[in-house]
Amino acid sequence: MRTFFKNIGPGPLVAAAFIGPGTVTVCTLAGVQFGFTLLWAMVLSVIATIVLQEMTVRLGLVTKKGLSEVIRQELSTPLVRGFSIILILSAIVIGNAAYQGGNISGGVLGLETLFGASSINLGHLQLNSYSLIIGVIAFVLLYTGNYKIIERFLVFLVILMSLAFLTTAILTKPNMSALFKGALIPKFPEGSTLLIIALIGTTVVPYNLFLHASLVKEKWKAVSDLSYARKDTIIAIALGGIVSMSIIISAAAITSAEVSNAADLALALEPLFGGFAKYVLATGLFSAGITSAITAPLAAAYVATGCLGWHSSLKSARFRAVWSIVLVLGVLLSSSGLKPIQIIKFAQVANGILLPVIVGFLLWVMNRNTLLGTYKNSKVNNIFGGLIFLISLLLAVAAINKVFNLNVF
C-alpha cells in the first residue's frame, strides 16, 4: 500500500486537467437534458483517454522527452516541421489561455455560490476579487518549481473534488438499473449529437497528451517504472470518469430547464437536499476550476519550450514566462465580463479542431521503431488508436460546423 501511494503521480494531475469547469458544465447539461442516457459517451471517453495517455506515458519514459520535443525531432522536413510547430503552439498556448479564463471563471462561480460576488477597482479596471485570489494561488504554486509540491496540492484537490461530486450523486439516490443501462447501451436522442461530441471532446483533451509525457519524466526516471506509471494512469483517469459521471447523475435529478452550469445545479439541488448539497457542489466546482487553472499554464509551458527547443525545467526563466503569460491572460479574461460558458466554448472549438492532428502525430511517433524499439505500439494499440482518430475527426468536423454553421449535422 505504501509503494502504491508513493507511485501516485501524474495521473491525478491529468484527471485534474480534464475535470475542469468545461467538463462540469457539459456533464451538467447532459444530465439535465437527457438524464442517464448519455452516460455511455463518458464511458467511451474514459476508455479513449486511457488508451492515448498510456501511449504518452510510454513515450515520455522511454525517450525522456515530451511529445512536442519528439515531434520537433522526428519531423525532418523544415517546412512541415515549421508548420506543425506553429499549429501546435498557436492552438495549445492560445487555446490554453482561453481555457484558463474558463478555468478561473469556474473556480469563481464556486466561490460566488458560497460567499457571494466580490470585485475590486484598479483605476479604470474592475477585477473580480476571486479571480485574483485563484490567480495568486496558481502563481505561487507554479513559481515554486517543485514538482512534488504541485503534485501533492493537486492530488489533495482531486480527492476533495471527487468526494464532493460523488457525495452529491449518492444524495440523489439514482435508479441503478437506469444508470447501468445509460452507461452500457449507446443511444442518440434527438438533439444530442453535439452534446455527445462535447462529452468526448472535454475528456480527451489534446494538451493532456503533452502534459502527461512531460510529467512522467519528473516522477519516474527508468523504463522499469512503466508498470507503476500505467497503473497510475488507469486508476486516476477511471476515477476522473466516475467523477464526471457523478455530475451527470446529480444533474439528472433536476427537472428545471434553467440549469446551465454547476453553480445553477448547486442552487437547484438545495430545495431537494438542503443547503449541504449547495456547499458540497460549490466546493467541487471551485476545486475543478483551480486544478485546471494550474495544469493549463503548466501544459502550455511544456508545449512552448518543447516546440522551440528550450530547456523545459520548472525553474527556468522561459518556462516561467510562458505559464505566467497564460495565467495573467486567464485572470484578465475571467474578469472581462464575458460569460464563462462563452470562453469555454471558444477553447473547446480550438481543441476540437486540433485533436485529430495531435492524435495523428501521436500514433505516428508511437510506431517509430527507431524511437521506441520494443516499446512501440502493438496492433491492439493501433486499432484502438485508429478508432479514436476517427472519433476525433468527427469532433473536428463538429467544431468547424459550429463555427461556420455548415449544417453538417
Side-chain angles (χ1 to χ4, degrees):
M1 186 63 70
R2 188 176 178 181
T3 303
F4 171 77
F5 281 109
K6 182 183 176 182
N7 284 286
I8 291 177
L13 275 67
V14 171
F18 79 71
I19 310 174
T23 300
V24 175
T25 300
V26 169
C27 289
T28 297
L29 294 175
V32 169
Q33 294 177 22
F34 299 104
F36 300 151
T37 308
L38 301 185
L39 281 171
W40 66 268
M42 186 52 62
V43 173
L44 176 64
S45 302
V46 170
I47 294 170
T49 304
I50 289 173
V51 170
L52 293 178
Q53 297 299 155
E54 187 278 334
M55 290 183 196
T56 62
V57 164
R58 241 184 312 137
L59 182 70
L61 272 181
V62 174
T63 66
K64 300 294 187 293
K65 294 177 181 176
L67 180 56
S68 55
E69 293 173 90
V70 171
I71 290 173
R72 186 174 184 273
Q73 169 191 298
E74 294 298 307
L75 290 173
S76 55
T77 307
L79 185 63
V80 175
R81 182 173 59 227
F83 175 76
S84 301
I85 287 173
I86 291 170
L87 177 66
I88 293 168
L89 273 175
S90 58
I92 294 291
V93 178
I94 295 172
N96 275 22
Y99 256 129
Q100 187 68 353
N103 293 333
I104 294 175
S105 296
V108 167
L109 281 176
L111 291 176
E112 286 181 344
T113 303
L114 293 172
F115 306 113
S118 175
S119 62
I120 58 173
N121 294 312
L122 298 174
H124 296 291
L125 185 65
Q126 186 178 51
L127 293 176
N128 189 299
S129 302
Y130 300 134
S131 295
L132 286 176
I133 291 170
I134 292 171
V136 168
I137 292 172
F139 181 88
V140 170
L141 198 66
L142 288 169
Y143 196 82
T144 63
N146 189 314
Y147 172 74
K148 286 186 178 179
I149 292 176
I150 296 171
E151 179 188 88
R152 286 170 184 170
F153 182 78
L154 289 179
V155 167
F156 167 75
L157 285 177
V158 167
I159 291 171
L160 183 65
M161 175 171 59
S162 302
L163 290 173
F165 289 128
L166 284 168
T167 300
T168 308
I170 292 168
L171 282 173
T172 66
K173 297 179 180 178
N175 181 315
M176 297 306 292
S177 175
L179 190 156
F180 280 107
K181 187 176 178 181
L184 300 175
I185 302 175
K187 287 186 178 180
F188 299 83
E190 186 177 350
S192 67
T193 303
L194 287 181
L195 199 50
I196 290 170
I197 291 170
L199 284 170
I200 298 170
T202 197
T203 307
V204 189
V205 182
Y207 80 71
N208 266 346
L209 300 175
F210 293 93
L211 180 64
H212 208 171
S214 297
L215 288 179
V216 291
K217 301 180 297 175
E218 304 284 349
K219 179 70 178 182
W220 295 289
K221 304 301 179 186
V223 181
S224 57
D225 293 321
L226 185 56
S227 61
Y228 293 122
R230 281 173 171 156
K231 288 175 186 175
D232 171 65
T233 300
I234 293 168
I235 292 171
I237 293 173
L239 177 61
I242 291 170
V243 171
S244 296
M245 286 186 269
S246 296
I247 300 168
I248 297 175
I249 293 165
S250 301
I254 303 302
T255 55
S256 171
E258 296 179 2
V259 176
S260 60
N261 58 51
D264 294 339
L265 177 60
L267 296 174
L269 284 172
E270 191 172 1
L272 294 176
F273 309 114
F276 173 72
K278 180 184 79 171
Y279 292 115
V280 171
L281 247 181
T283 301
L285 181 57
F286 166 72
S287 300
I290 196 169
T291 51
S292 296
I294 293 166
T295 54
L298 192 60
Y302 275 121
V303 169
T305 52
C307 283
L308 297 173
W310 298 343
H311 184 49
S312 60
S313 166
L314 287 168
K315 294 183 179 180
S316 73
R318 287 172 172 173
F319 191 90
R320 282 173 169 167
V322 175
W323 63 250
S324 295
I325 290 169
V326 172
L327 185 57
V328 170
L329 286 174
V331 172
L332 293 176
L333 273 173
S334 69
S335 297
S336 65
L338 287 173
K339 292 181 179 180
I341 190 70
Q342 294 173 324
I343 300 170
I344 292 167
K345 279 182 177 178
F346 171 79
Q348 285 178 332
V349 167
N351 268 359
I353 295 171
L354 180 69
L355 184 58
V357 178
I358 302 303
V359 172
F361 274 134
L362 180 61
L363 288 174
W364 174 63
V365 298
M366 293 307 297
N367 280 282
R368 291 185 70 77
N369 192 58
T370 53
L371 185 70
L372 293 163
T374 57
Y375 292 97
K376 70 177 184 178
N377 269 2
S378 65
K379 287 183 180 179
V380 174
N381 288 137
N382 284 330
I383 289 171
F384 278 108
L387 288 172
I388 295 167
F389 176 73
L390 292 175
I391 293 170
S392 67
L393 275 178
L394 178 63
L395 283 171
V397 171
I400 294 169
N401 174 57
K402 194 171 184 179
V403 174
F404 299 106
N405 294 315
L406 299 177
N407 296 317
V408 175
F409 295 101

